[in-house]
Amino acid sequence: MRFPSMTALRVLDAVARLGSLSGAASELSLTRSAVSHQLHSLEDCLGIPLTERVGRGIALTYHGECFARETQRALAILNEARRFANAEEVAGRLCVSCTPGFATYWLCHQIGKFQRAHPQVELNLVSPRIPDDVTNRDVDLFIAYGVGDWPDLHVDLIATLDTFPVCSPSLINSVGGLDSPEDLASLPFLHMVDHSDWLLWVAAAGVRDLNVRNGIVFSDAHLVQSAAIAGQGVAMGDALVSGDAMAKGQLVRLFNVAIEPPNRYYFVSDPAKTERPDVRAFKAWMKAELRMSEQFRKGGRNALIGE
């Protein structure tokens, strides 16, 4: 079997990204004729046309686009493989995307420990627009909240937490107390992203004729909890997001019914990045910290899953 040369593969990758022979030549410090020669050499090796004339320039054929995508994946894997030259070294830039609620209520309180343990890692922490968004190509590791359905990505379950209604003591006092789930009918509901958690809880509690579709829908857990603490309504909380506020008396857990929601916390990453030393080190550190965390030890029957 004939294998294409690495130079030819890099040329195809550059042409696919930049859209021209001249751009690829400039990026790779080659002449335009050398780029053209590498493409022809690759076509001879594969036995298929990769480019075609379009006006005064060129474009990738259908087969060229398909092969270019696979080439880019292969080059990414080879590039990451360089980091295994010293398997013990945990260094370099690591970009972690974390849902705002998890970041605010847990990760930001612990992250300095990872930095002290791995001072050679340049750590960047960002938050997505929605909890299950894993599309940012600059991110190396996602801490996402969703149902676990991210095709073609490596998915590793972190935790699932029981959820239950919470609200501020002042809101309870304003309605003269809450003795049963039916009493919630007089209060506004606070939702994260959609109404699903409240609908599941109402079904589990066996409450009829309780319209939980009213109230306000927020984009992340931090906003929901802030509104609940401010007495703006009743929210679904858990030991992670609401634990600190409950310990301080800012929120009160209502009733004895809790549910295990369909959404859970996951590590999500491109398969090419999953075995990087810094990614593995961060995941191992976080799971170890979570096992010792008061919030997760009291989070419910399935609070911490990942090993």
Side-chain angles (χ1 to χ4, degrees), residues 65-179:
E65 290 179 352
C66 293
F67 190 74
R69 283 196 296 270
E70 295 305 313
T71 296
Q72 289 165 346
R73 288 167 59 89
L75 291 176
I77 293 172
L78 291 173
N79 188 50
E80 295 300 334
R82 293 185 305 172
R83 303 178 71 132
F84 291 103
N86 182 355
E88 298 301 316
E89 182 182 14
V90 180
R93 178 185 178 276
L94 174 64
C95 184
V96 176
S97 172
C98 184
T99 60
F102 196 109
T104 299
Y105 295 105
W106 191 85
L107 185 57
C108 288
H109 295 268
Q110 312 294 334
I111 196 67
K113 297 178 184 178
F114 177 81
Q115 194 70 82
R116 289 190 291 273
H118 302 287
Q120 300 305 313
V121 174
E122 178 190 338
L123 184 62
N124 294 333
L125 184 62
V126 300
S127 289
R129 185 178 59 84
I130 54 177
D132 62 350
D133 182 9
V134 294
T135 60
N136 188 339
R137 294 187 177 183
D138 293 328
V139 169
D140 303 305
L141 178 65
F142 296 89
I143 300 169
Y145 186 68
V147 297
D149 183 20
W150 292 283
D152 302 323
L153 296 175
H154 185 273
V155 180
D156 183 10
L157 180 63
I158 304 172
T160 178
L161 294 166
D162 288 349
T163 58
F164 41 79
V166 295
C167 73
S168 70
S170 62
L171 187 61
I172 296 175
N173 294 333
S174 71
V175 296
L178 295 169
D179 298 321

Side-chain angles (χ1 to χ4, degrees), residues 35 100 244 246:
V35 167
D244 186 58
M246 289 192 296

Side-chain angles (χ1 to χ4, degrees), residues 222-266:
H222 176 63
L223 298 177
V224 176
Q225 294 300 297
S226 295
I229 291 171
Q232 301 305 300
V234 187
M236 291 298 292
D238 57 46
L240 169 70
V241 173
S242 309
D244 186 58
M246 289 192 296
K248 294 177 179 177
Q250 296 172 318
L251 290 176
V252 176
R253 176 174 175 171
L254 303 176
F255 317 118
N256 245 344
V257 179
I259 61 168
E260 183 180 332
N263 291 325
R264 302 177 181 184
Y265 291 102
Y266 295 89

Side-chain angles (χ1 to χ4, degrees), residues 20 29 48-49 54 81 117-118 123 131 146 149 165 175 192 196 203 221-222 239 242 262 277 291:
S20 72
S29 299
I48 56 174
V54 177
H118 302 287
L123 184 62
D149 183 20
V175 296
M192 187 181 79
S196 58
H222 176 63
S242 309
R291 291 188 192 100

